[in-house]
Amino acid sequence: MGAHPAHTVRTETRDLRETAHAAQVRELTAAGVLDDPRWRAAFAAVPRHVFVPYFWTDRGAGHERLWAEDPDPAQRARWLRGVYVDTPLATRLRDGRLVSSSSQPSLMAKMLAALDVRDGDDVLEIGAGTGYNAALLSHRLGDEHVTTVDLDEEITESARAHLAHLGYHPTVVTGDGARGCPARAPFDRILVTCTLPLVPHAWLGQCRPGARILAPLSTGLIALTVRDADFAEGRFLHTPAYFVPLRGATAVPPPDRMAMVRGLPYELVENERFQFMLVLTAGVLHPREALDLWRSEGRPGRERFGVSVGPEGQWSWLDDPQGPYVWPLGQE
């Protein structure tokens, strides 16, 4: 007797998923973003498709949903191929607006490497999303060392279910990530997966001295070292990063980039490094001032900029926090 058709389909689907997952790990390894064997093992152990049972793609003026349970085999295949492409995926829309996504795997790998965790470190993730990042952290550090927070109960319930499906049970909290998670403090690392307008001061008091905060700010990733509850400072990585904005207590509308670049030369409008400086100094430097400074200083990349967080406020700076080019980031 031959195999039952339904069983055959399930087996073929499982094989396709395993093949796609293995191919993703090989691609990330070849790209040089999984040099640490412990993170390579985590990506190999945690399949992305479990955390993205559906996602949205742009289609004409609207969006199309691709999902794992689509009755059309061709659509299911599109979903699976899409899940294992190295790209961010829109996982939750509200009134046509993106509120949650699954980050680009290669960027996740770079951020996890830059987080520089050690065995026994306690990590707070701001922005639970699908739960995929928390699963990777749990595999590397153990459930008891991982806390992930999201403002939206629907998102945290879904993330918790995805994590449990694979046997991971980190602490998943529904709350305002800008307030951190005092009940689980202190932390050795804070990993942020949403773009900040500034660094919530509450996080510093929930960190151990020497802790590292890695967060998207402007269009880059700031790596702050926490001195104490009042002060943290650090530089940007060279890596570009684009995330959904932070929602909650410190949420502010993102700057209107089209208005900012109006009248500037087109080649600079498209220049990623200049865009970074433009957003970082928005509301402080006029775009023309930003352009003149950027040119006079040799068209600096992200890694020449930094951020200081103190009790009196927050500042971004070029090259030196005590140097001539320092700009306020805003007030909490």
Side-chain angles (χ1 to χ4, degrees), residues 255-264 275 278-280 282 287-288:
D256 182 347
R257 294 192 194 181
M258 293 308 295
M260 289 163 56
V261 300
R262 198 169 290 128
L264 295 179
Q275 280 285 325
L278 200 58
V279 176
L280 188 65
R288 282 285 176 186

Side-chain angles (χ1 to χ4, degrees), residues 77-94:
R78 282 185 64 204
W79 162 78
L80 184 61
R81 284 196 303 272
V83 164
Y84 283 106
V85 171
D86 185 31
T87 187
L89 298 173
T91 55
R92 212 167 286 272
L93 300 174
R94 190 163 294 147

Side-chain angles (χ1 to χ4, degrees), residues 34-77:
L34 288 180
D35 290 341
D36 185 332
R38 291 164 297 187
W39 285 123
R40 190 159 60 245
F43 273 85
V46 181
R48 192 186 192 195
H49 69 261
V50 171
F51 296 90
V52 191
Y54 61 86
F55 64 92
W56 300 88
T57 64
D58 291 330
R59 183 158 188 168
H63 298 89
E64 177 189 20
R65 188 176 81 148
L66 296 176
W67 61 304
E69 303 302 325
D70 196 301
D72 182 347
Q75 289 293 87
R76 289 200 303 273

Side-chain angles (χ1 to χ4, degrees), residues 111 190-192 194 196 199 203 213-217 220-223 236:
M111 290 178 70
I190 295 181
L191 178 65
V192 186
C194 45
L196 304 178
V199 179
W203 294 352
I213 298 174
L214 186 67
L217 197 151
L221 292 168
I222 187 67
F236 284 89

Side-chain angles (χ1 to χ4, degrees), residues 147-324:
T147 303
T148 185
V149 178
D150 206 288
L151 187 65
D152 194 318
E153 187 172 5
E154 192 177 331
I155 290 174
T156 53
E157 284 184 2
S158 178
R160 195 178 288 113
H162 296 156
L163 286 155
H165 182 79
L166 291 177
Y168 295 112
H169 300 280
T171 300
V172 182
V173 177
T174 304
D176 186 350
R179 303 186 191 282
C181 187
R184 294 278 294 169
F187 300 102
D188 301 287
R189 299 288 187 270
I190 295 181
L191 178 65
V192 186
T193 60
C194 45
T195 297
L196 304 178
L198 71 169
V199 179
H201 210 278
W203 294 352
L204 275 58
Q206 295 174 34
C207 284
R208 294 187 174 99
R212 188 173 180 85
I213 298 174
L214 186 67
L217 197 151
S218 179
T219 65
L221 292 168
I222 187 67
L224 297 169
T225 299
V226 178
R227 186 187 71 191
D228 52 37
D230 286 327
F231 187 80
E233 189 169 83
R235 288 183 178 271
F236 284 89
L237 309 185
H238 73 275
T239 308
Y242 301 87
F243 284 85
V244 174
L246 173 74
R247 296 181 296 147
T250 64
V252 296
D256 182 347
R257 294 192 194 181
M258 293 308 295
M260 289 163 56
V261 300
R262 198 169 290 128
L264 295 179
Y266 180 75
E267 67 273 14
L268 289 172
V269 171
E270 295 298 305
N271 186 296
E272 193 179 67
R273 293 193 302 172
F274 177 61
Q275 280 285 325
F276 165 78
M277 180 176 176
L278 200 58
V279 176
L280 188 65
T281 60
V284 182
L285 289 184
H286 186 277
R288 282 285 176 186
E289 288 182 284
L291 176 56
D292 290 345
L293 177 58
W294 189 71
R295 282 173 165 165
S296 68
E297 288 298 314
R299 300 176 176 241
R302 289 175 177 82
E303 62 276 12
R304 284 180 58 187
F305 293 86
V307 167
S308 303
V309 180
E312 288 85 31
Q314 303 186 24
W315 302 267
S316 61
W317 37 266
L318 175 63
D319 291 332
D320 182 352
Q322 306 302 321

